[in-house]
Amino acid sequence: MASETTPLTSKGDDAAYHLNRLKSYQWWAFFVTFGGYFMAHFSRKCYSTVKQQLQEQAGYSSFILSEMDTVFMFTYAIGNIISGKLGDTFSPTTVLSIGLFGSGVCLFLINVSLWFDFVHFSESLGNLFIIAVYFLFGFFQSTGGPVGTAVMGNWFCDKNSIKNRGLIFGCWTCHQYCGDITAQLCTAFVLKKGYAYWWALLIPSVTNFLWGILTMRLIADPVDVGIITDDVRIRMEKAAAKAKAGEMVEDEGPTPITYAGALRIPMVAQYAFAFGFFKLTNYVLFFWLPYFLGKHFDPVAANLIAALYSVGMMPGGIIVGYVSDLFGGRRATVIGVFMSCLVVFLAIFSQDSEDLSAQALLVMLCIMGILVGGPNNIITSAVAADLASHPSVKGSNKSLGTVTGLINGCGAITASIGLLAVGPLQQQYGWSSVWLYLIGCTTTGTLLMSTKIYAELFPPAVEEETSAV
């Protein structure tokens, strides 16, 4: 296996040759990482689609099912922070494969508890077992986001890919919605055919195993097969300069960045907290919309209207990514515009949500899905890749997995804490207070990005001169 210090032939020195090799593998890296994150959402959504059967047929109480969600959210949030660092420190392929295999094992163990009826054998044992499994499930599920993003960043690092990074990552982040939709179709098929409901958990268990085997053959970094990228050239130039100065040089590749080092990268901390407020807005709309709409419409209409919000989220990332590419990668500005538009819609909700017709809600929620989904998807992908490419770490540190994990993990923690306020607010002051609460969250998140938005709109004169040259 080649390394950055391997002497290259004249053919290997040809930049076009390395670029062609890089381009030829990009589609496969996209496909495998897309599929890995697809499997994560396929797995966790399948569980949520059979909650009713778990309660009515398996005997799990609504309290235990709620505890499973809470435990999962906690370990998933912490796991994102850990997994990102592991992906930068060890082989990303290994970390991704372990996540897929582990998820498959957890779902299989849940099936075992159903087959052998653990709950009826011993309620305390059955409850403890399934909560312990879901505790581990959250950690395994957390690998796909930060580590998959890091692999994508490794391969889509040429100038053209960086120029179109928003569109590329916007398309890539559709994996979660494809996984969610597939899970609902899978469960619908299982139940319609009259099969045992646990097949809806066994099928994703098997597919996770199969995709884990496929992922094991993924090449995580172009340098592992001797492809010289811009980052490697920068590091080689630094090494050559040191050697020329008489220093002993031993290039073992970029060192994994520390958490403190990642947080010192400009805007990482701000984006991590801003994403938490945006994710909180998304969580409230995603989890509470069916409940809110169910108070005013029949169950079928309520679920149909709520589904439009999820439908809007899918193209949201593509739209934000493409538009931000058109404006030279000014993603914070585009995100700020989208969030400002969302505040307008939330203000309308705070005044008239109880009186809006089904047609008006369909249109509004679809647009709100775009406005929320776009920024949420792009921050944890294209924005994270931009931050990890900052000159302070470019070519010298492996940082994309750690940066993505910090943003994702901190965001999930902030959102989970913020969700606790929704129930009491709704009970005490009504739904208008919830929409006002979301306006506050959206505004706070946008203000945390204000320095970056200002820098994008009014770049320093030195930057303008440099870009002109």
Side-chain angles (χ1 to χ4, degrees), residues 42-56:
F42 182 32
S43 303
R44 70 182 76 151
K45 188 64 176 180
C46 271
Y47 151 74
S48 67
T49 59
V50 294
K51 274 187 175 179
Q52 183 178 349
Q53 287 74 17
L54 287 171
Q55 185 173 4
E56 295 176 356

Side-chain angles (χ1 to χ4, degrees), residues 123-316:
E123 186 174 355
S124 57
L125 172 64
N127 291 340
L128 178 63
F129 180 83
I130 200 166
I131 287 178
V133 169
Y134 235 64
F135 180 89
L136 295 173
F137 188 55
F139 282 115
F140 289 125
Q141 285 278 291
S142 69
T143 60
V147 184
T149 302
V151 174
M152 282 287 292
N154 288 342
W155 282 100
F156 289 85
C157 60
D158 58 284
K159 291 179 180 178
N160 188 55
S161 295
I162 292 173
K163 182 181 177 182
N164 296 291
R165 180 177 277 165
L167 177 61
I168 292 168
F169 277 98
C171 293
W172 184 72
T173 54
C174 289
H175 43 45
Q176 50 191 311
Y177 309 110
C178 293
D180 291 343
I181 293 167
T182 303
Q184 291 171 313
L185 293 175
C186 175
T187 302
F189 173 80
V190 167
L191 297 179
K192 186 177 180 181
K193 289 294 183 181
Y195 299 135
Y197 71 92
W198 49 257
W199 275 103
L201 298 173
L202 186 61
I203 291 171
S205 174
V206 173
T207 54
N208 267 266
F209 267 106
L210 295 176
W211 208 267
I213 294 171
L214 179 68
T215 301
M216 289 176 68
R217 302 188 62 82
L218 173 69
I219 300 169
D221 197 322
V223 76
D224 292 339
V225 287
I227 298 175
I228 307 301
T229 63
D230 289 342
D231 278 3
V232 175
R233 287 193 184 93
I234 292 171
R235 198 162 61 252
M236 291 173 70
E237 288 170 3
K238 289 180 179 178
K242 288 182 179 179
K244 191 174 181 181
E247 297 181 36
M248 182 71 72
V249 178
E250 186 177 351
D251 188 357
E252 297 178 350
T255 57
I257 199 168
T258 62
Y259 288 122
L263 289 171
R264 280 196 295 269
I265 298 174
M267 286 304 299
V268 167
Q270 289 95 319
Y271 267 114
F273 285 109
F275 179 64
F277 288 103
F278 297 154
K279 197 176 185 75
L280 172 57
T281 302
N282 176 35
Y283 276 5
V284 172
L285 291 171
F286 185 80
F287 289 121
W288 284 88
L289 265 179
Y291 178 82
F292 164 73
L293 294 169
K295 300 289 184 181
H296 306 280
F297 301 94
D298 65 81
V300 174
N303 279 288
L304 176 63
I305 295 170
L308 262 292
Y309 172 73
S310 298
V311 170
M313 291 190 74
M314 185 182 291

Side-chain angles (χ1 to χ4, degrees), residues 8-30:
L8 300 172
T9 63
S10 58
K11 182 180 181 182
D13 283 326
D14 182 7
Y17 167 70
H18 288 286
L19 180 61
N20 287 335
R21 290 185 64 199
L22 184 77
K23 287 289 188 184
S24 67
Y25 196 83
Q26 283 179 343
W27 72 271
W28 181 249
F30 186 104

Side-chain angles (χ1 to χ4, degrees), residues 288 418-431 433-434 437:
W288 284 88
L419 271 174
L420 297 174
V422 176
L425 275 175
Q426 185 268 325
Q427 284 185 335
Q428 288 286 107
Y429 306 106
W431 281 102
S433 65
V434 175
Y437 176 59

Side-chain angles (χ1 to χ4, degrees), residues 64 88 92 97 194 277:
I64 290 300
D88 285 340
S97 299
F277 288 103

